[in-house]
Amino acid sequence: MTANLRTTLKLLAPHVRPYLGILGLVLALGALGASAQRGIFLLLTPTWEVLFPADPVALGSLGAAGQAQELVGGGGLGAMRDGLMRAVLGAEVVPADPDARLAMLFRVGALIAAISVLAAVVHYFFLYLARWAALRMVVSLRVSLARHLMGLSLRYHGERKFGDLLSRISADVSTTLNIVNNTLTELVQEPLLAVASLAFAFLIAPEATLLVAVGLPILAWSIGLLARKVRKGSVRSHTTLGASVQALSQMFQGVRTVKAFGAEERELERYREMNEGYVRATMRMVRALAFTNAWTILYSHVGLAILLVVVGVFTIKSGLFQHDGDMLTFFMLISGVYSNIKRTARAVTRANEAVGASQRLQEVLDEVPEITEGSAAIAIEPGKALQAGVELRDVSFTYAGSAAPALADINLHIKPGETLALVGHSGSGKSTLMDLVARFIDPTAGSILVGGHDLRELSLDSWCAAYAMVGQDPFLFHTTIAENIEYGRPGAGEAEVAAAARMANIHEFIAELPEGYQTNVADAGTRLSGGQKQRITIARALLKEAPLLLLDEATSALDPLAEAAVQEALERLMANHTVLVIAHRLSTIRNADRIVVLEEGRIVEQGSHADLLARGGVYAGLQETQLQS
Ligand SMILES: Nc1ncnc2c1ncn2[C@@H]1O[C@H](COP(=O)(O)OP(=O)(O)OP(=O)(O)O)[C@@H](O)[C@H]1O
Ligand SMILES: [Mg+2]
């Protein structure tokens, strides 16, 4: 149990630390509020006294109870009561005069009202600050999770299910922060109320209070046992929730495919089944939760009955309570203790839900980023980095978990200003090679040299600034076209954006749209074609003005007109950059200065288009079957 609670504490610690001061204040307010709320009960005794002034004679006969309690004027238990009477009523003896008694009653009423106002104000700030701190912590945890995830490699994201991550960042964080949110308020408030009640009860009747206190550890222990079940259930519940969010996100991401295959019902059925799994897992936890609460109620009520009988017996036999008002106050306080314990138990079980959820978050945070920069990372000018091109020396790469290397003993020098085309069968390692150059992955052997440095020695930012990348599937953010292009160089002006669009052969098209550059690409009615999207991403890359261009040509064919437009844009791009292109089109390849042919992770041929054709090797074979004219 403690090991797991430690997980939660470790997870929360960095986010709690900035708010420790506030939390201390919350704790103090909670204690003050609890004392005020429970202190009101103490005023019952004087009230009782005013309404039913005790008969000192009757009390005197019970005085032989064996308790060393000094009787005072109005009858009663002791010095504490004595003081209380004086403080509240302004006298130790209740006068017989009805008017004087009424005045005393109003005095007590006013005092209760005053304490209530204090309790209410304190409670307001207690809740306000507790929730405020909790919300701040949620946000801080979410942001740091997102930041951590961003730093993880593409491989991690490739394997990871997007929906599951989404569910972790939203649902699991919320559940985890229950421990400081709803639960913090309860976990602080309720035990404090219980302690305040017990303390006040102890002042009135020490023996009886000790009797109550003996029963509490047993209750706490049994709740701890049940809480473990809740925790296990919580992990299962959140895991299945993650799976169902995953199913949902897949379903909508692939909505075209789903509809095209008329698979809506099948998908919905699958989603329904996943939700069934979620219900089953959650209900297991709910059963444990409900059982815990029911057990607490049973224990506390039976406990109250036993206490009533025991206290009653002692009161009858030996005058444990010598005064009805005291006994009333005592039971008011003690019954309060049990409901505080009940709510504390509920908070503890909820906190265990949080522990379950935080385990899943810790898993994410424990994932170590593969691509890191050393403490002495070198920052280098983009132009300088590319001065001598990019050199791969004996580079090999093997994906984790696969036996054969995806790339083996690659020696390749991409010269400055050169356009180098990579070709090869599917699975030959082209994308892997490009990922290495982009430093999405690091070689398992050998090294990549730029500007006289190993790529791993450079700061991530400075290498990133040295290249622009155009991917196979153009990705646009759900915002305006202008912003999508500007992404290449934040802060670029309108004129520069338009110039890049012109170079990318897309300016005319954008200018004709009713809203021009301010058109939102997500708006209905402005669905862009594949070729248009591609040219927007090319404009984005152009705007970045990085010396090295990494280009993964789309395999899907565009219609000849769009194709020509994209081709023209690419040619402009290639003219003044060092380019590494995964080429599928003959036109691109013809424009390349050099063609490198990959086969099963090795370079098998290189040269110009004409040379390679003449050779009649792998390239000539590819030419016939794969490359598009
Ligand atoms: N994330 C991965 N984990 C394990 N193996 C991978 C991973 N990505 C690629 N591979 C394997 O590495 C080899 C090279 O893949 P790569 O994606 O580089 O090929 P490619 O030449 O780009 O193919 P295509 O033309 O189809 O895009 C393949 O055998 C592939 O199965
Ligand atoms: Mg590929």
Side-chain angles (χ1 to χ4, degrees):
M1 173 168 176
T2 43
N4 285 325
L5 194 59
R6 218 173 292 143
T7 312
T8 312
L9 293 180
K10 183 178 147 205
L11 180 78
L12 292 178
H15 309 283
V16 171
R17 221 165 279 136
Y19 301 102
L20 277 182
I22 296 285
L23 290 180
L25 187 58
V26 166
L27 206 65
L29 286 174
L32 183 60
S35 312
Q37 282 181 47
R38 286 305 179 254
I40 288 174
F41 285 130
L42 281 188
L43 296 179
L44 287 175
T45 300
T47 313
W48 204 258
E49 207 65 33
V50 172
L51 296 178
F52 312 105
D55 176 3
V57 181
L59 273 172
S61 66
L62 280 175
Q67 296 156 52
Q69 275 157 348
E70 157 200 348
L71 290 177
V72 287
L77 280 178
M80 177 252 149
R81 178 184 168 74
D82 194 5
L84 190 67
M85 296 288 290
R86 213 177 2 228
V88 177
L89 301 179
E92 284 166 35
V93 186
V94 177
D97 172 28
D99 281 346
R101 280 168 62 203
L102 272 181
M104 279 183 163
L105 186 63
F106 291 143
R107 205 185 146 103
V108 175
L111 198 59
I112 290 181
I115 296 177
S116 301
V117 169
L118 174 74
V121 170
V122 166
H123 191 69
Y124 174 87
F125 286 106
F126 166 76
L127 270 189
Y128 180 92
L129 286 177
R131 294 284 165 104
W132 178 84
L135 269 177
R136 289 272 142 221
M137 287 178 224
V138 174
V139 171
S140 162
L141 181 58
R142 283 212 175 116
V143 170
S144 84
L145 273 171
R147 177 184 299 278
H148 182 78
L149 281 168
M150 271 288 168
L152 294 179
S153 67
L154 285 179
R155 190 181 61 77
Y156 176 83
H157 287 284
E159 288 166 2
R160 206 75 232 168
K161 294 170 175 170
F162 167 70
D164 183 61
L165 282 183
L166 208 64
S167 149
R168 284 182 200 229
I169 286 199
S170 48
D172 291 31
V173 169
S174 301
T175 308
T176 297
L177 266 297
N178 267 342
I179 202 170
V180 270
N181 200 2
N182 288 321
T183 312
L184 176 81
T185 45
E186 285 190 351
L187 272 181
V188 171
Q189 164 113 335
E190 298 300 329
L192 283 176
L193 281 172
V195 168
S197 302
L198 283 174
F200 290 140
F202 187 81
L203 290 178
I204 295 171
E207 295 88 348
T209 306
L210 287 177
L211 192 65
V212 175
V214 167
L216 293 180
I218 301 172
L219 183 61
W221 173 74
S222 57
I223 288 171
L225 280 187
L226 290 167
R228 195 173 306 167
K229 278 199 158 170
V230 175
R231 192 165 62 227
K232 277 195 194 135
S234 162
V235 175
R236 263 188 238 115
S237 161
H238 279 85
T239 306
T240 46
L241 178 65
S244 86
V245 174
Q246 169 62 20
L248 198 65
S249 80
Q250 273 241 318
M251 195 160 92
F252 289 118
Q253 276 172 355
V255 70
R256 284 175 71 85
T257 312
V258 173
K259 282 189 182 288
F261 285 90
E264 290 96 332
E265 281 309 317
R266 244 187 297 158
E267 287 294 326
L268 285 172
E269 179 56 25
R270 224 161 52 101
Y271 181 55
R272 205 188 55 76
E273 270 172 25
M274 298 211 114
N275 275 293
E276 280 305 314
Y278 171 62
V279 169
R280 269 194 304 276
T282 308
M283 284 317 289
R284 218 173 299 164
M285 181 185 72
V286 168
R287 275 197 295 276
L289 254 170
F291 189 76
T292 311
N293 287 352
W295 164 243
T296 317
I297 290 177
L298 180 71
Y299 189 94
S300 56
H301 285 64
V302 169
L304 204 58
I306 293 173
L307 188 68
L308 199 65
V309 171
V310 172
V311 166
V313 166
F314 279 105
T315 300
I316 292 168
K317 294 229 163 162
S318 56
L320 179 61
F321 279 97
Q322 298 169 354
H323 203 277
D324 46 5
D326 290 328
M327 186 152 162
L328 178 74
T329 307
F330 174 77
F331 271 100
M332 292 280 279
L333 285 167
I334 291 307
S335 63
V337 169
Y338 278 111
S339 65
N340 297 142
I341 297 291
K342 219 154 53 192
R343 283 193 215 110
T344 308
R346 197 174 58 196
V348 167
T349 43
R350 285 226 199 100
N352 274 278
E353 243 187 286
V355 173
S358 60
Q359 272 172 13
R360 279 165 47 84
L361 294 178
Q362 193 57 50
E363 264 172 44
V364 173
L365 289 175
D366 284 344
E367 195 71 36
V368 184
E370 286 166 50
I371 305 298
T372 51
E373 56 185 31
S375 51
I378 300 161
I380 190 166
E381 292 271 313
K384 271 207 183 120
L386 262 289
Q387 244 167 18
V390 180
E391 195 182 345
L392 287 79
R393 268 195 211 156
D394 303 320
V395 167
S396 296
F397 184 82
T398 311
Y399 284 101
S402 78
L407 284 177
D409 305 320
I410 300 289
N411 281 292
L412 183 64
H413 187 190
I414 308 167
K415 298 186 189 78
E418 170 182 52
T419 294
L420 196 148
L422 284 176
V423 298
H425 288 108
S426 178
S428 56
K430 304 182 293 291
S431 297
T432 307
L433 200 154
M434 187 166 281
D435 285 355
L436 280 166
V437 173
R439 220 190 151 206
F440 291 158
I441 48 179
D442 281 335
T444 34
S447 53
I448 301 174
L449 299 168
V450 290
H453 298 286
D454 189 304
L455 208 50
R456 282 168 286 209
E457 292 168 7
L458 297 189
S459 78
L460 290 173
D461 280 346
S462 72
W463 181 239
C464 176
Y467 69 82
M469 194 173 215
V470 179
Q472 219 164 13
D473 325 290
F475 177 81
L476 298 182
F477 295 95
H478 281 192
T479 172
T480 61
I481 293 178
E483 279 185 50
N484 263 292
I485 297 176
E486 210 199 58
Y487 203 81
R489 180 149 49 89
E494 247 171 70
E496 285 171 295
V497 167
R502 235 178 235 117
M503 288 256 287
N505 245 348
I506 188 74
H507 173 75
E508 266 80 48
F509 166 78
I510 300 171
E512 276 170 27
L513 292 170
E515 290 177 77
Y517 279 88
Q518 296 310 313
T519 309
N520 193 313
V521 295
D523 282 349
T526 52
R527 247 192 80 88
L528 300 166
S529 75
Q532 289 155 352
K533 278 190 198 161
Q534 222 153 44
R535 278 176 284 157
I536 291 176
T537 58
I538 290 171
R540 174 156 71 201
L542 270 170
L543 190 62
K544 188 171 173 185
E545 286 179 345
L548 175 65
L549 182 70
L550 303 177
L551 180 63
D552 198 346
E553 222 173 31
T555 33
S556 57
L558 299 169
D559 70 80
L561 255 172
E563 171 75 43
V566 170
Q567 199 55 49
E568 221 180 284
L570 285 181
E571 274 166 29
R572 284 196 196 126
L573 209 58
M574 290 174 183
N576 41 18
H577 287 83
T578 305
V579 183
L580 179 65
V581 54
I582 297 178
H584 298 287
R585 299 181 209 300
L586 198 54
S587 48
T588 315
I589 293 169
R590 283 211 172 114
N591 277 315
D593 300 310
R594 189 156 48 123
I595 300 160
V596 168
V597 185
L598 285 175
E599 180 88 336
E600 292 180 349
R602 288 168 195 279
I603 296 176
V604 289
E605 291 173 5
Q606 52 180 310
S608 73
H609 174 65
D611 288 349
L612 291 174
L613 267 191
R615 248 178 153 180
V618 179
Y619 181 78
L622 270 171
Q623 186 67 42
E624 274 172 25
T625 55
Q626 287 205 326
L627 299 172
Q628 298 159 11
S629 56

